[in-house]
Every structure is written in structure tokens, then in C-alpha cells.
Amino acid sequence: MFGTYRLPVLSTVPRSGTWFLRYLFSFVCHLEQGGRLDDLLTGEVIGNPHGATFDFTRFRGGPLFRVAGTLPDEHMFIGHTVCPGFHDVVSAKHWWRRTSFHVPGYDCFHEETSYRHTPVDLANYAYAPVRVTAMDRAASKGRGAPIALVYRNPVDQAFSYFRYCQAHVSPAYHLLRGRPVADMSFREYLLDAALVSYARQFISYQFQAERYPGLVKLIPYENLIDRPVETATHLLDHFCGTHRDWPMLPAAVRLVRKEHMRAIEGKLGNSLDGTRNGQDSHMRPSEDAGRDGLADPALRDETIARLSDLGVDCSLFSWPSHRAATARQDFLEDVRRREHAYR
């Protein structure tokens, strides 16, 4: 019933809005199908007041989500993976084959040995099988379900993941080749580990998007943060296969604001992604500390040189300065204040 190669894939580079997208798509599906959501901070009731409430206690974060009734396919994947089909077409002599990811989790569909029991959210069943081989074969020929990658500026992504791994509960993340990540400088972490992992994931989508632009889309994370409704509409239309109205989307975007996600974590008593002890959130209150070095032109230029040598098209990235990032945050705070005033 569920073992089909038609599985839409919404992949993210780690620390590039994964949980934002998981909740956003889940909220849209829930509301579109007559459900109800309560804003834990404002008390606002969104959707059908008499509809089913969203069961946060059963929400595991997929990576599969039942989207039938909102999108054309039964399930959707939202998480980290190498682009379907890339494994079947990359040359045996390519640098990609001789390298590996510095931590697990970058390639969900090819790191395990069995996908007969892949966790599913938004369904009355807990698991569904995925036919990875069939999905790869179809994508390598430009067929199958739509695919998209949400990707972040590689230096910003590495810095966020650097901080994330330092505080992770698992040694697979907070140790790198036996050494605590907390003892490393960011420059060392970036150039010795993070960039190759970024390139391995990103280039698979770059390659497939060049071959099949109608099937594979590349979406900058910065667009998602700066223009969430517009960018999410573009993603939903891509996975729907046609343009349509999404009347519940603006409300869903409000519900996935960081402050509300932290309130949900407080209610659940644990971090949304399960990587923090107690009630410590996986969403950092601020990453401004130590960010000044990210605007260093020498670090940016070395990053571009390294990635370009690996075949990554660096023109696809924006390279915002620290000042620009701060201005963007100020702009978002102004938007939130205006939205709150209008409610």
C-alpha cells in the first residue's frame, strides 16, 4: 500500500530550518483538513474551533509525514538526505565517492540498511516502508515525485552546526575524530570537517537540479526566513504540481515562530528534536556571540575557493555580513510586532 517510489522529498542542510518546515507543513495539513490549533502564547484559536486539536505529544518529527488530502501524494519526507538519484549517476572516480560526512544524519535514505519501518507523523499508523532503490532509480531518470533542498549560506550553516554539536548529547556529534568539538576553533571545524559534508550534500542537488530543473528545486534558507509565506507558497506549489491558494499558510507561519516553538517545548518537557537534556531547547536564543568572525573576507574567500574546487556553484549563496544579519533580525521583529497589532 505504501511501498511506492513516489515520495516527495523536502531536504534541508542541517541547521537550515528543518523543524520549522516539519511543523509548518504539518500545521498546514492539519488546518487544511479541518483541524484546530491554539496559539499557546496568545490563546488565539486558528482553524475550525470544533475541529481536532493537534496532538503534540505524538508528534515525533517524521521523517515521513502523511500529507494525503492536502498534497497529491500519500507521504512526504522532510529531513536530511542526499538527493535521490545521485548515487546512481555519480562517477566511481568522483571525489564524492572518496569522502564521507563528518557526522551521521546528512543522508537519511542511504545510512540505514532497512526502511521497512520508517516513522510517520500525521497518520493513524506509526510506520511505513520506503523503497529507496526504486525512488533512486526513478529520480536518476527524471521521474518520481518533486524534490527540493532548502540550503543555508555554508559559513552560517557551519557556525550554527558547530554550536549545535558542542551541546549535543551524543558523542557522535560532540566529538570529532575523538576530540571534543568544544575544544576546536570554528575555523578549524569549518575547514577540516564541515565544508566537505556541506559540499557532499549540496552538490547532489545542484547536479540533479541542472539535469532536471522541473523535478529538483534549490531554495535558499535566507528566503525562507525573510519571506516565509512567499517561499513556503513556492514550495507547496512545487510539491502540489500546480499553483493554488493556501489560505491557512500565514497562520501556520505565525505558529512556527521561534517563541511559540519554545512554548511547545516547555509544554512537552523536552526539546523538539530530542537532542537536549531536560527542557533545554535545541533552538538557541541567540547565536550572535562569536559571529563577528563570519564576516571575515579571508574566511569567506577560503570557503568559496574550497567549495569551488569541489564543483559547488558558490554563486548560489548569499554572503551576508554580520550587520546585514542583525538588520534582518530587526526587520523580522518589526514584522512580528505589526502582525501582533493586527490580530
Side-chain angles (χ1 to χ4, degrees):
M1 178 177 177
F2 304 121
T4 173
Y5 68 81
R6 271 202 61 89
L7 178 66
V9 169
L10 174 52
S11 183
T12 58
V13 177
R15 306 300 293 171
S16 301
T18 312
W19 282 88
F20 178 95
L21 289 164
R22 284 173 170 173
Y23 271 98
L24 179 61
F25 273 68
S26 296
F27 287 172
V28 168
C29 288
H30 182 73
L31 293 170
E32 287 268 338
Q33 296 173 36
R36 157 187 178 154
L37 277 158
D38 295 356
D39 190 312
L40 300 183
L41 297 179
T42 67
E44 179 186 6
V45 176
I46 299 171
N48 180 2
H50 306 292
T53 58
F54 193 91
D55 190 351
F56 290 101
T57 61
R58 294 186 64 247
F59 191 87
R60 297 171 295 177
L64 298 187
F65 300 81
R66 189 176 186 275
V67 295
T70 301
L71 295 174
D73 294 283
E74 187 77 17
H75 298 112
M76 180 177 191
F77 170 88
I78 305 177
H80 315 312
T81 191
V82 167
C83 188
F86 183 73
H87 285 79
D88 292 352
V89 297
V90 63
S91 166
K93 296 181 179 180
H94 195 276
W95 66 264
W96 196 93
R97 297 285 191 189
R98 303 191 303 272
T99 55
S100 60
F101 294 110
H102 73 290
V103 293
Y106 272 84
D107 191 8
C108 177
F109 281 136
H110 305 93
E111 290 181 348
E112 304 293 336
T113 57
S114 173
Y115 295 90
R116 292 181 58 83
H117 299 92
T118 308
V120 182
D121 272 317
L122 310 182
N124 58 7
Y125 45 88
Y127 303 96
V130 177
R131 295 172 57 194
V132 175
T133 301
M135 187 172 66
D136 272 337
R137 185 166 54 248
S140 69
K141 298 176 181 177
R143 300 197 297 267
I147 298 167
L149 173 72
V150 174
Y151 66 96
R152 192 174 184 177
N153 171 286
V155 178
D156 281 347
Q157 184 273 337
F159 182 80
S160 182
Y161 210 45
F162 176 60
R163 299 284 298 277
Y164 173 82
C165 289
Q166 286 176 329
H168 203 289
V169 297
S170 170
Y173 292 85
H174 69 242
L175 294 178
L176 180 61
R177 305 182 191 103
R179 181 181 172 193
V181 175
D183 292 347
M184 302 177 68
S185 70
F186 170 62
R187 183 184 186 87
E188 181 182 8
Y189 177 81
L190 172 71
L191 299 178
D192 291 352
L195 280 186
V196 169
S197 291
Y198 188 104
R200 292 190 90 245
Q201 186 187 20
F202 184 85
I203 202 168
S204 69
Y205 289 88
Q206 176 185 312
F207 183 84
Q208 289 291 80
E210 290 170 352
R211 297 178 74 209
Y212 306 115
L215 179 71
V216 182
K217 300 295 183 184
L218 301 177
I219 307 293
Y221 166 83
E222 292 78 10
N223 290 2
L224 185 67
I225 299 305
D226 292 345
R227 302 184 297 279
V229 174
E230 175 188 333
T231 306
T233 297
H234 182 58
L235 281 168
L236 286 163
D237 287 349
H238 175 57
F239 289 109
C240 199
T242 185
H243 176 69
R244 53 159 288 194
D245 292 329
W246 301 97
M248 304 310 300
L249 180 57
V253 168
R254 291 202 308 273
L255 287 166
V256 294
R257 66 192 186 278
K258 185 177 291 188
E259 297 83 0
H260 191 242
M261 291 292 97
R262 288 208 191 96
I264 293 171
E265 288 183 322
K267 182 178 179 179
L268 295 176
N270 56 263
S271 66
L272 291 177
D273 69 351
T275 64
R276 294 295 185 273
N277 293 316
Q279 295 189 21
D280 189 17
S281 175
H282 79 286
M283 295 174 290
R284 305 188 68 88
S286 172
E287 291 183 337
D288 285 346
R291 289 184 64 92
D292 290 337
L294 302 191
D296 177 6
L299 186 64
R300 179 201 61 205
D301 292 347
E302 190 165 2
T303 296
I304 292 174
R306 293 276 187 96
L307 292 176
S308 297
D309 286 344
L310 296 173
V312 173
D313 181 0
C314 291
S315 69
L316 296 171
F317 306 130
S318 61
W319 301 94
S321 66
H322 174 63
R323 179 179 178 182
T326 303
R328 183 169 67 239
Q329 182 60 36
D330 291 340
F331 167 77
L332 292 173
E333 289 298 330
D334 288 340
V335 170
R336 293 188 190 102
R337 284 193 290 269
R338 288 197 298 272
E339 288 180 344
H340 182 73
Y342 293 153
R343 288 201 295 268

